[in-house]
Amino acid sequence: MQERRPSHRTLALALCACAGLLTPTLALAQAAAPAPAASQPASAKPAGPAPGKKPSSADILAASKPTDWRTVDPELALQMELPAGKVIIELASAFAPVHAANIVKLTRAGYFDGLAVIRSQENYVTQWGDAEEDDAKARRKPDTLAKAPVEFSRPLKGLKLSALPERDTWAAKVGFVDGWPVAVDPKKGRAWLTHCNSIVGAARGNEPDSSDGSGLYAIIGHAPRALDLNITTVGRVLQGMDKLSSLPRGTGALGFYEKAEERTPITRVRVLADIPEAERPRLQVLRTDTATWQAWLNSRRFRGGGWFVHEPSKVELCGALPPVRSAP
Amino acid sequence: MQERRPSHRTLALALCACAGLLTPTLALAQAAAPAPAASQPASAKPAGPAPGKKPSSADILAASKPTDWRTVDPELALQMELPAGKVIIELASAFAPVHAANIVKLTRAGYFDGLAVIRSQENYVTQWGDAEEDDAKARRKPDTLAKAPVEFSRPLKGLKLSALPERDTWAAKVGFVDGWPVAVDPKKGRAWLTHCNSIVGAARGNEPDSSDGSGLYAIIGHAPRALDLNITTVGRVLQGMDKLSSLPRGTGALGFYEKAEERTPITRVRVLADIPEAERPRLQVLRTDTATWQAWLNSRRFRGGGWFVHEPSKVELCGALPPVRSAP
């Protein structure tokens, strides 16, 4: 129908958009949407590149093998239900084990159910938790909740880094570990999960160790990498980022909602493992220790033959988060 | 009142957010909002840093002189009226002179009035223009509209670049020219306005020279720098970014709205010079060829003494766009 057909010019930019930034949300959205060749879902039949055209990101995903994908552990992922829809978050237990365990414990105790999104600041963060946490009205936390230590970084030892050759403004070395965007300080032997768009962190006060996982935020704009090593990053939104990024921004200082009624209520949060199998989302993240991953990165670096007239020849850590799909 | 007081933990993150990323929208929003010391509007009385604390970005702005600010030329800026509010866009005539002139011409002909936002793609772009442009129903453009050439880059010669010492993933050299984020290829002697969050570009088809300024997009997520040198960037949203970034994402392929009724109508677009003086916005952008600019950048690099425990010691081109304020 008329409305479904984008115009020549808009579609062309769209094509470049698709090849240019295949977001997890988009990857999944497109699996269900009529899409041009360059944005076929990963579950589609392998389609070779057109003559004279280099393989697109979608071509690479379409040709991927089942073993190229890592299935998300349902014991380490959450489904947060908002009025607008579901947000699926994977927890980074390798980087913030105590916070991750706390968040699972809080979720199973029903701590987040009925709380709200309390802040949305343009090009920065959307934050949720207990707006009354410092008051008598504060919601009770499970007695078994651990006092969380600072988990801003972890030892590099034990991590299999798939490093990017590209230089990074913020860190000496960057790359991916099991699909997580990671920065490294080789001298100090430390590694940390970086503040890219869609990464989730644990809000803290002025004391570095004052976070416990009960207050969380997601990056909704350009990666604020200055936050790296200053606050604990705990996960990544794998699906439903738009439910957090398209909220009205708060009109109070720093994007806080000025009135309680402006907040978005959190209907319910569940650990994926606690959702009946029939309705449980089964997501997979493209593995970053494979030839397919390297081919996908190259499809982002070299895009000649189509809409692109200048080969970027580069990828950037926070602009190349691994694609996410529903398990076929 | 209760709702206005963010909790200890959320406020602390908020403070870091404020020092961390003073967006144009936020800078203006905070001028009207009750805000902590670290986010006083630039129009406030100079406030020295607290003992032992380095000057914050807000301290630097509060101490700025009138000559540290460049007033936006009302002949080269637009006010786009959406149901949710106004979006103010400055045109980059030094980088895309023909496109900028076309956009002014189209605006004065009323071309955009009654058109719509036709696409919003998560972590990428919001796009507006004529959804029917390839159809018989396409809106008529002024006969005097120029055939626009490719304006992906311009000669470096003639530009006074305030370069950043930080390395950039995408370009050999980056910095700011009159407040615009710019990348440079010294070997080729070319410079271009980079695709940072809030930068506006001119949609094009597969032909590099197929844009004329009648279809526009704004970057709403992480900077997709791979678009640099592939499409003409024409300006920057100085105010009202949230009106474009908080729209529901389109559910069609690539974020296009599938039904006409899902689109956000553009009530009216006017050149600022055509708005009666009494109601005309008068915006200023912090100049980037001043000592105040360098002090502001340093306040972003070195934040010790407050919430930050790790000095980022870096700034990034697309994470340090010059603050915008309403003229005092």
Side-chain angles (χ1 to χ4, degrees), chain A residues 7-10 17 21 26 119 122-124 127 133-134 167-169 204 230 245-246 307 309-310, chain B residues 7-10 17 21 119 121-124 127 133-134 167-169 204 230 245-246 307 309-310:
Chain A
S7 77
H8 169 68
R9 194 141 48 82
T10 50
L21 199 68
L26 182 62
R119 172 191 183 194
E122 175 56 19
N123 192 22
Y124 198 61
Q127 183 173 331
E133 69 177 336
D134 292 346
R167 62 186 191 177
D168 179 77
T169 296
R204 72 164 173 92
N230 279 295
S245 62
S246 63
W307 182 92
V309 293
H310 168 77
Chain B
S7 76
H8 169 68
R9 194 140 46 86
T10 48
L21 198 69
R119 171 193 185 193
Q121 181 174 351
E122 175 56 19
N123 192 22
Y124 198 60
Q127 185 172 330
E133 70 178 335
D134 291 347
R167 62 186 190 178
D168 179 76
T169 297
R204 72 164 173 92
N230 279 295
S245 62
S246 63
W307 182 91
V309 292
H310 168 77

Side-chain angles (χ1 to χ4, degrees), chain A residues 1-18 20-21 23 25-26 29-30 33-36 39 118-119 121-125 127 130-135 137 141 152 166-173 197 203-208 210-215 217 220-231 241-242 245-249 251-260 263 300 303 306-312 314-316 318-319, chain B residues 1-18 20-21 23 25-26 29-30 33-36 39 111 118-119 121-125 127 130-135 137 141 152 166-173 197 203-208 210-215 217 220-231 241-242 245-249 251-260 263 300 303 306-312 314-316 318-319:
Chain A
M1 80 228 215
Q2 189 64 267
E3 292 74 11
R4 297 183 75 93
R5 188 170 57 73
S7 77
H8 169 68
R9 194 141 48 82
T10 50
L11 180 59
L13 174 60
L15 273 165
C16 114
C18 171
L21 199 68
T23 68
T25 305
L26 182 62
Q30 289 183 338
S39 61
I118 58 178
R119 172 191 183 194
Q121 182 174 352
E122 175 56 19
N123 192 22
Y124 198 61
V125 299
Q127 183 173 331
D130 183 0
E132 319 294 349
E133 69 177 336
D134 292 346
D135 308 339
K137 285 187 281 177
K141 298 173 186 176
F152 300 168
E166 285 85 358
R167 62 186 191 177
D168 179 77
T169 296
W170 300 90
K173 195 174 185 184
N197 184 292
R204 72 164 173 92
N206 281 322
E207 293 310 311
S210 54
S211 63
D212 62 6
S214 62
Y217 63 92
I220 62 169
H222 189 80
R225 295 280 303 278
L227 290 180
D228 291 356
L229 298 175
N230 279 295
I231 190 163
M241 256 311 289
D242 59 306
S245 62
S246 63
L247 292 172
R249 306 308 186 229
T251 52
L254 314 169
F256 282 96
Y257 295 109
E258 295 185 88
K259 302 193 179 74
R263 299 175 187 146
R300 309 286 305 274
R303 316 185 188 199
W307 182 92
F308 278 75
V309 293
H310 168 77
E311 292 279 22
K314 303 280 199 315
V315 292
E316 178 187 353
C318 287
Chain B
M1 78 225 215
Q2 189 66 267
E3 291 75 10
R4 298 182 74 93
R5 188 170 57 73
S7 76
H8 169 68
R9 194 140 46 86
T10 48
L11 180 59
L13 175 60
L15 272 164
C16 117
C18 172
L21 198 69
T23 68
T25 306
L26 182 62
Q30 288 184 337
S39 61
Y111 176 82
I118 58 178
R119 171 193 185 193
Q121 181 174 351
E122 175 56 19
N123 192 22
Y124 198 60
V125 299
Q127 185 172 330
D130 183 0
E132 319 292 349
E133 70 178 335
D134 291 347
D135 308 339
K137 285 187 283 175
K141 298 173 184 177
F152 301 169
E166 283 86 357
R167 62 186 190 178
D168 179 76
T169 297
W170 299 90
K173 196 175 183 184
N197 185 292
R204 72 164 173 92
N206 281 321
E207 292 310 312
S210 55
S211 62
D212 62 6
S214 61
Y217 63 91
I220 62 168
H222 190 80
R225 297 279 303 278
L227 290 180
D228 291 355
L229 298 174
N230 279 295
I231 191 163
M241 256 310 289
D242 61 305
S245 62
S246 63
L247 293 171
R249 305 310 186 227
T251 52
L254 314 169
F256 283 97
Y257 294 108
E258 296 185 88
K259 301 194 180 77
R263 298 175 187 145
R300 306 288 302 277
R303 315 186 188 200
W307 182 91
F308 278 76
V309 292
H310 168 77
E311 292 278 21
K314 304 277 196 320
V315 292
E316 178 187 354
C318 287

Side-chain angles (χ1 to χ4, degrees), chain A residues 7 25 29 56 77 100 105-106 138-139 157-158 182 188 194 236 244 280 282 285 288 305 309 316 319:
Chain A
S7 77
T25 305
S56 70
K105 197 171 290 184
L106 286 158
R139 178 161 301 196
K157 195 156 185 267
V182 171
K188 293 182 177 165
T194 53
R236 175 188 173 194
L244 297 171
R280 184 187 306 161
R282 289 187 58 243
V285 179
T288 49
V309 293
E316 178 187 353

Side-chain angles (χ1 to χ4, degrees), chain B residues 24-97:
Chain B
T25 306
L26 182 62
L28 291 157
Q30 288 184 337
S39 61
Q40 282 302 314
S43 56
K45 277 212 205 74
K53 184 175 173 304
K54 303 191 180 83
S56 70
S57 303
D59 295 330
I60 300 296
L61 296 184
S64 67
K65 303 182 298 295
T67 52
D68 289 324
W69 298 82
R70 166 177 71 77
T71 299
V72 171
D73 178 354
E75 288 288 342
L76 285 171
L78 314 172
Q79 174 172 288
M80 176 164 66
E81 297 170 31
L82 301 178
K86 299 169 182 172
V87 179
I88 310 293
I89 300 168
E90 181 175 28
L91 298 172
S93 59
F95 292 87

Side-chain angles (χ1 to χ4, degrees), chain A residues 282-299:
Chain A
R282 289 187 58 243
L283 299 184
Q284 300 184 318
V285 179
L286 190 66
R287 288 179 53 190
T288 49
D289 58 351
T290 64
T292 296
W293 170 247
Q294 293 303 327
W296 186 80
L297 287 177
N298 278 330
S299 72

